[in-house]
Amino acid sequence: MRAAMLHGPRELRVEPRDPLAPAAGEAIVRVAASGLCGTDYRIWSGDRPVAYPLVMGHEFIGEVAAVGAGAEGLRAGQRVAVEPNFSCGACPLCREGNRNLCLSRTALGIDVHGGFAEEARLPARCCWPAPVGVGDDQLMLAEPLAVVVRAVARGEVRAGESAAVLGVGALGLLAIQVLKARGLRVLAVGRTSRRSELARTLGADDFTTTEVGGGVAAARAFSGREGVDVVIETAGTARAVEQALELTHPGGRVVPTGLPHEASTVNFFSIVRREIRIVGSMIYREEFPEAVRLLAEGIVRVGPLITHRFPLERIQEAFAAHQSPEAIKVCVVI
Ligand SMILES: [Zn+2]
Ligand SMILES: [Zn+2]
């Protein structure tokens, strides 16, 4: 089989590898498509160090090719979405149900080989069989959508509330749709107005940019009060976290789900005085089936989100495309 092997920063080569065989409890997945996200880009560029060589790719789907002993729940030929994180199952965090917070968590494509390859080997429990009729494009967004489903749930949203989604990349455009499905009014907030039309097409009731006053006046006008009830922050920059805190009203909630890599100078005076509730949200716990359901039932649309596709041989171009302003979700089709 062939795999895109990262040997060092930007040293990515498609090369042959021995076919994979499943150990007990494992499955081999014949990869159909693998999405690329900011995490992959940071690994590829060397910003995020990993143990080389590594097959990146954690947002992938495919067909079960073989299963090991004890993985009889799965069978060869099943189409699956892959949940790329698995926890140790034994530590206090895992035992109390916080498996997404496990300090010994393993991520496919980051800690071990992932999905930019013809085949991937993973624990069978990472495979979520796809309902009949779900297309590959839809299924491929299950992983980022699971992140968003959890973030929205962490915000304890209620129908009829007002929400702002900060950032209109793949996560933000998914968050708009999940919030709408939960019955909220949604203000999308981008850095520029470039995605205004798209955000509205996907359900946003209004759109503003952070260019003028960070979008605060727009959030007030949209909510008809001091700010929105809940903010889902998906941009993952230090500045965006600060801006998110300003969009909500006193007593409001902010869910940061992007991962800012630099420190921010959050104004804690304002947080204490306004009793803002900041609720972090880290990947997902039991949200995968709900993400797959939202995709299967067409409640979340992914068509406009997949902007670029490359075959495995041209994976270097996929990384270049990820940085282009038009890119939302770039994927490698295998
Ligand atoms: Zn990702
Ligand atoms: Zn654990």
Side-chain angles (χ1 to χ4, degrees), residues 87-95 98-99 101-105:
S87 53
C88 79
C91 73
L93 285 161
C94 282
R95 285 205 308 270
N98 290 313
R99 68 181 174 96
L101 308 180
C102 172
L103 301 179
S104 307
R105 188 167 51 82

Side-chain angles (χ1 to χ4, degrees), residues 79 130-136 138 295-297:
R79 283 176 74 235
V132 182
V134 189
D136 280 359
Q138 290 161 302
L295 294 165
E297 293 181 8

Side-chain angles (χ1 to χ4, degrees), residues 65-129:
V67 293
E72 285 78 14
L74 278 182
R75 49 187 163 65
Q78 261 179 328
R79 283 176 74 235
V80 292
V82 171
E83 176 174 347
N85 289 280
F86 52 98
S87 53
C88 79
C91 73
L93 285 161
C94 282
R95 285 205 308 270
E96 67 199 17
N98 290 313
R99 68 181 174 96
N100 58 325
L101 308 180
C102 172
L103 301 179
S104 307
R105 188 167 51 82
T106 304
L108 299 170
I110 300 173
D111 304 309
V112 296
H113 293 326
F116 290 144
E118 287 177 330
E119 290 177 1
R121 187 168 67 92
L122 44 111
R125 68 180 193 276
C126 294
C127 292
W128 292 99

